[in-house]
Amino acid sequence: MVHQKIVFLALICLVSGTTVMNNQGVMDSYVNPGLQSSIDELTQSKIGHMVIDLAEVTMRVTGAVDSLVEGVKAFGRQIEERLNLENTQWEVVESEHNAKVISLSSQANQAEFDINREKKVLNSELIPRLHELDDILLGLKAKQTDNAQSFKEAEAARNTQHDSFVLTTTEFTDALRNIDEALDLLTDLFKSGEVRAAFIEVSDEQKHKVNKALRQVKANTENFGHQYSSFIQALTNLTEGFNFKDRQVLKEMCDFLNSLRLNIFDALTKAYKDEDSQKQQDELRTQQLTAEKAVFDQQYADFYQEREDKTVRISDVQTLISTREADLKAYQDRLRTENNNYSANLKIHDDIVSSVQSELAVLAKALQVVQTPPFLDFLNGRIAKA
């Protein structure tokens, strides 16, 4: 037992301090080629060289290599325990790494999801609605301007009614011609495109022609305080604001102009209505414009408030997106660092495991060699010659 402890201590000391020597002194007498090859292989490593050297020392002291064998086995178990400890510790490191990767990946995915969700809200809902509100407000502002202008025109029309009375025949004739032109244009538009299509594309040139014809009809009729002039203005505004027309709207516009045409014919035969009737019509016109103004003003206030709310909401969403983008970058940076550290630690672990496994393989080979009869014979021969 004492010899085994001495051998074990010698193993530890030699592992920490022995350098690989050449084979001179280890084999200074003839051995068979197979044994020589095994010894050469073992002495390539520090631990193998140590076992070969200790074999002769142990044989000289005890007359056998049993204590060396037991010492080497004990040393091997110690190395195996070190390997098991390394693997156990690595399992903890790997488990912690996987947990961090899962957590950081989940956080990064959630941040990316939040960013995409808010961008979708921003680009698909908020910004398009903001642009839509801008268009609506511009349209309402135009209607308010037109309404104010209509008030002025109605007042001027009332003041000039008596003078225009003399010119009614000429102006009604002009109105009929412009209505016919508008009807022709609208009829052409109605017949264009797919027959079953609900909407018809209108070119800028066609729109300009229709607007011009409708403005001319309006100019012909409004000086007489005609009740349709406001609707002509509304239709003009509609065609100016869009690049397409509803087929049903076109039909209604045609019906309206045909109706207007019949009324102008009636008006032509009643050109000598008295002044009181014209005054009454003017009052009705003023009431209508007043009601329109109240509607336009209220609509403008409501849509303007909605635009203000949308602007604040857009700012909040943009701030959230910026915050989550910063979070995403931080998660990705931490994940990258974690993976880099893991790769470095894995290499260290693999190197340690490879080194320990190599030591165990050498010890196993050495135990096999030192217990073979040719090696024992060789040792006894050397000791006998000493």
Side-chain angles (χ1 to χ4, degrees):
M1 185 66 180
V2 173
H3 291 307
Q4 180 178 340
K5 290 183 178 179
I6 293 173
V7 170
F8 184 67
L9 291 174
L11 281 169
I12 297 175
C13 293
L14 284 171
V15 166
S16 61
T18 304
T19 58
V20 178
M21 308 291 291
N22 59 39
N23 292 336
Q24 296 298 323
V26 175
M27 303 298 290
D28 53 3
S29 63
Y30 173 77
V31 294
N32 68 63
L35 178 62
Q36 181 66 55
S37 175
S38 297
I39 293 173
D40 289 344
E41 180 182 349
L42 287 172
T43 55
Q44 294 301 312
S45 67
K46 180 168 61 177
I47 193 169
H49 201 294
M50 171 200 71
V51 173
I52 298 299
D53 287 343
L54 279 177
E56 183 176 349
V57 173
T58 303
M59 180 66 79
R60 289 180 184 276
V61 173
T62 66
V65 294
D66 294 346
S67 59
L68 172 66
V69 170
E70 294 303 317
V72 170
K73 288 180 178 179
F75 184 57
R77 287 192 293 271
Q78 187 181 53
I79 293 176
E80 287 178 344
E81 289 175 359
R82 180 157 60 94
L83 178 61
N84 292 336
L85 177 61
E86 171 64 25
N87 287 329
T88 300
Q89 291 174 337
W90 177 249
E91 288 177 358
V92 174
V93 171
E94 192 169 38
S95 177
E96 291 176 349
H97 165 73
N98 291 335
K100 288 181 181 179
V101 168
I102 292 173
S103 176
L104 290 172
S105 297
S106 176
Q107 290 173 307
N109 290 337
Q110 184 60 50
E112 190 170 11
F113 174 81
D114 292 343
I115 291 168
N116 292 333
R117 180 194 62 210
E118 295 304 316
K119 284 185 176 180
K120 181 179 179 181
V121 171
L122 184 67
N123 297 324
S124 300
E125 299 177 20
L126 295 178
I127 291 179
R129 180 55 179 168
L130 186 68
H131 293 161
E132 183 180 0
L133 288 171
D134 287 338
D135 292 339
I136 291 173
L137 289 172
L138 285 174
L140 287 172
K141 179 61 71 175
K143 289 181 179 181
Q144 288 175 321
T145 301
D146 292 340
N147 179 264
Q149 182 64 28
S150 295
F151 268 109
K152 295 178 182 179
E153 291 173 352
E155 182 179 2
R158 182 70 187 96
N159 293 332
T160 59
Q161 280 177 352
H162 180 72
D163 294 336
S164 65
F165 179 76
V166 179
L167 302 175
T168 53
T169 303
T170 302
E171 293 195 357
F172 277 129
T173 301
D174 292 339
L176 291 174
R177 184 181 66 253
N178 291 326
I179 288 174
D180 290 339
E181 180 182 350
L183 283 170
D184 290 341
L185 291 171
L186 293 174
T187 300
D188 290 341
L189 289 178
F190 187 85
K191 293 179 179 179
S192 64
E194 293 293 334
V195 174
R196 296 182 180 179
F199 297 93
I200 301 170
E201 287 292 332
V202 180
S203 68
D204 290 340
E205 180 180 359
Q206 290 172 318
K207 182 177 66 174
H208 176 72
K209 289 180 179 180
V210 172
N211 289 337
K212 179 180 178 182
L214 291 176
R215 285 195 297 269
Q216 289 173 337
V217 172
K218 177 178 177 295
N220 291 143
T221 58
E222 67 184 356
N223 289 336
F224 295 93
H226 201 277
Q227 61 179 345
Y228 290 108
S229 61
S230 63
F231 295 103
I232 292 292
Q233 182 64 54
L235 291 173
T236 301
N237 292 339
L238 181 62
T239 57
E240 289 175 347
F242 297 89
N243 288 327
F244 61 85
K245 290 293 174 288
D246 187 316
R247 188 181 292 275
Q248 181 60 32
V249 172
L250 286 176
K251 181 179 181 303
E252 291 175 0
M253 290 170 64
C254 290
D255 293 341
F256 168 77
L257 289 178
N258 280 320
S259 177
L260 179 62
R261 191 174 188 279
L262 292 175
N263 276 276
I264 289 176
F265 272 116
D266 292 339
L268 187 61
T269 63
K270 298 176 182 179
Y272 295 96
K273 286 183 178 181
D274 56 39
E275 190 69 10
D276 290 339
S277 177
Q278 292 175 341
K279 182 178 180 180
Q280 182 180 4
Q281 293 297 321
D282 179 72
E283 290 173 353
L284 292 174
R285 174 64 175 150
T286 300
Q287 291 174 4
Q288 182 183 9
L289 290 175
T290 300
E292 287 178 356
K293 183 179 185 304
V295 171
F296 294 153
D297 290 347
Q298 185 60 51
Q299 288 178 338
Y300 190 91
D302 292 342
F303 284 119
Y304 184 83
Q305 184 59 50
E306 183 183 351
R307 189 190 187 284
E308 290 294 297
D309 295 341
K310 285 293 185 290
T311 301
V312 173
R313 173 72 174 129
I314 287 173
S315 178
D316 291 342
V317 170
Q318 289 173 333
T319 299
L320 177 58
I321 290 173
S322 297
T323 300
R324 295 303 282 156
E325 285 177 339
D327 292 341
L328 176 60
K329 183 179 184 303
Y331 295 141
Q332 291 173 336
D333 290 343
R334 289 171 59 188
L335 186 60
R336 189 180 302 107
T337 299
E338 175 64 25
N339 286 328
N340 290 340
N341 291 340
Y342 174 79
S343 297
N345 291 333
L346 178 61
K347 184 179 186 308
I348 294 173
H349 168 72
D350 289 343
D351 290 344
I352 291 174
V353 170
S354 176
S355 175
V356 172
Q357 289 176 338
S358 297
E359 291 177 358
L360 289 172
V362 171
L363 284 178
K365 178 70 173 178
L367 283 174
Q368 182 181 10
V369 170
V370 299
Q371 295 181 86
T372 59
F375 185 79
L376 295 175
D377 292 342
F378 162 72
L379 290 180
N380 287 326
R382 287 192 58 174
I383 293 170
K385 291 178 180 180

